[in-house]
């Protein structure tokens, strides 16, 4: 109604369709260049935060530029409001009820003749046309072998129905999927990165997801390191005939740890590589 651009946190991916003209995709961990440019460089005058504590992963490491405008924060837990950034307007309560009341008030104002800002959508469309949505769009089209993760995510996007449940295990696979896959608005991205998340989560949680939503396609995107930390869940799915698909990035490496060590210790690594497994 007001032509307000929308970004989601990594865990909020799927709450708003990234195919929508007003989408900024994800901000925070595995950010889109769109959201980073808009939220950090364009000078946002007002920011409405729904259901987020503005955690480290949701703010690109608590970037101070995020809180420079008027901040309005809504959360069902009042102790989360104002925890990490100063808040001008606090809204404690259920997000659905809060949004419903805001929409009622907005419709009343529009009915009284108040008009949204003219040209906002056109200005935002021009902004989006000049900023890439991805860090490396060319890799999404690469024919290189082994297949590049960017291309794999694009292929999964093309193959999956719009109502797919997508479980992401902990590791680089989370980052690839969060950045390069697109939320259509009806699919769901479910992961536990943050709060000392455990590798192997995506292997098991997808089985539970399929039991909870038997009519929806369910996949898990996992690394070989995370896949090796679980196993009986796969046996359970086979034994109970639970149709889950695991997509395993099989690179014989704990890649998130490997890259972290490379950056932190001048290229030196330890304990991150192992013999390639025959996952299939």
């Amino acid at each position: 109604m007001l032509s307000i651009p929308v970004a989601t946190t990594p865990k909020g991916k799927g709450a708003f369709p990234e195919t929508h003209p007003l989408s900024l995709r994800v901000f925070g961990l595995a950010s889109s260049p769109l959201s980073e440019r808009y939220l950090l460089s364009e000078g946002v005058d007002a920011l409405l935060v729904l259901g987020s504590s503005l955690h480290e992963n949701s703010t690109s490491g608590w970037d101070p530029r995020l809180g420079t405008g008027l901040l309005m924060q809504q959360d069902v837990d009042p102790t989360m409001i104002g925890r990490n950034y100063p808040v001008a307007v606090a809204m404690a309560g259920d997000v659905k009820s809060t949004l419903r009341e805001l929409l009622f008030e907005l419709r009343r104002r529009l009915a009284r003749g108040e008009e949204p800002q003219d040209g906002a959508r056109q200005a935002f469309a021009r902004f989006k046309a000049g900023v890439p949505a991805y860090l490396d769009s060319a890799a999404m089209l690469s024919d290189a072998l082994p297949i590049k993760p960017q291309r794999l995510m694009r292929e999964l996007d093309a193959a999956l129905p719009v109502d797919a449940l997508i479980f992401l295990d902990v590791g680089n696979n989370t980052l690839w999927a969060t950045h390069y896959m697109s939320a259509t608005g009806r699919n769901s991205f479910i992961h536990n990165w943050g709060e000392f998340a455990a590798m192997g989560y995506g292997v098991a949680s997808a089985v539970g997801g399929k039991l909870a939503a038997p009519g929806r396609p369910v996949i898990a995107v996992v690394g070989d390191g995370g896949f090796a930390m679980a196993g009986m869940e796969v046996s359970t799915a086979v034994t109970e005939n639970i149709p889950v698909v695991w997509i395993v990035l099989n690179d014989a490496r704990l890649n998130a740890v490997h890259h972290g060590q490379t950056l932190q210790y001048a290229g030196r690594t330890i304990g991150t590589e192992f013999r390639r497994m025959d996952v299939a």
Side-chain angles (χ1 to χ4, degrees), residues 17-267:
E18 292 173 341
T19 51
H20 193 285
L22 289 171
S23 172
L24 287 163
R25 299 182 67 86
V26 167
F27 177 78
L29 190 73
S31 273
S32 169
L34 275 174
S35 64
E36 287 198 350
R37 176 81 63 85
Y38 195 85
L39 290 172
L40 301 181
S41 303
E42 297 297 310
V44 174
D45 55 355
L47 182 64
L48 173 60
V49 178
L50 300 170
S52 173
S53 65
L54 299 175
H55 177 283
E56 180 183 10
N57 289 344
S58 305
T59 58
S60 287
W62 296 297
D63 194 301
R65 292 171 292 177
L66 196 63
T68 53
L70 183 142
L71 181 61
M72 300 166 281
Q73 189 175 4
Q74 178 280 332
D75 203 280
V76 71
D77 182 354
T79 66
M80 292 293 175
I81 299 175
R83 173 178 283 192
N84 295 314
Y85 287 87
V87 172
V89 180
M91 293 169 282
D94 173 73
V95 67
K96 191 172 185 179
S97 301
T98 303
L99 280 172
R100 186 187 299 118
E101 293 302 316
L102 287 173
L103 285 168
F104 283 154
E105 177 61 22
L106 177 57
R107 290 190 180 103
R108 283 192 287 268
R109 291 184 178 223
L110 293 174
R112 290 199 300 263
E114 293 189 35
E115 292 291 336
Q117 195 173 16
D118 287 337
R121 254 181 207 254
Q122 292 83 352
F124 183 66
R126 289 193 295 272
F127 164 80
K128 281 189 77 171
V131 181
Y134 309 100
L135 286 172
D136 190 354
S137 299
M140 299 172 73
L141 304 172
S142 171
D143 290 328
L145 293 175
I147 187 170
K148 286 194 171 291
Q150 296 95 324
R151 181 185 164 191
L152 173 61
M153 300 308 154
R154 182 180 71 85
E155 298 282 359
L156 287 174
D157 254 353
L160 286 172
V162 293
D163 63 341
L165 281 171
I166 302 160
F167 288 84
L168 308 178
D169 201 69
V170 173
N172 270 12
N173 46 284
T174 312
L175 309 178
W176 294 123
T178 301
H179 187 83
Y180 285 100
M181 292 186 76
S182 290
T184 63
R186 282 188 286 172
N187 57 16
S188 299
F189 290 78
I190 303 164
H191 66 88
N192 71 333
W193 191 303
E195 298 84 47
F196 301 102
M199 293 171 66
Y201 159 85
V203 182
S205 59
V207 178
K210 185 63 180 181
L211 290 172
R216 297 176 67 176
V218 175
I219 72 162
V221 180
V222 305
D224 49 353
F227 193 78
M229 296 200 180
M232 285 306 295
E233 292 82 4
V234 180
S235 176
T236 298
V238 173
T239 302
E240 302 299 331
N241 197 28
I242 303 168
V244 177
V245 177
W246 289 274
I247 310 295
V248 184
L249 281 71
N250 194 12
D251 53 18
R253 183 184 282 172
L254 301 173
N255 239 331
V257 180
H258 185 87
H259 289 155
Q261 290 182 1
T262 300
L263 292 170
Q264 193 168 356
Y265 303 116

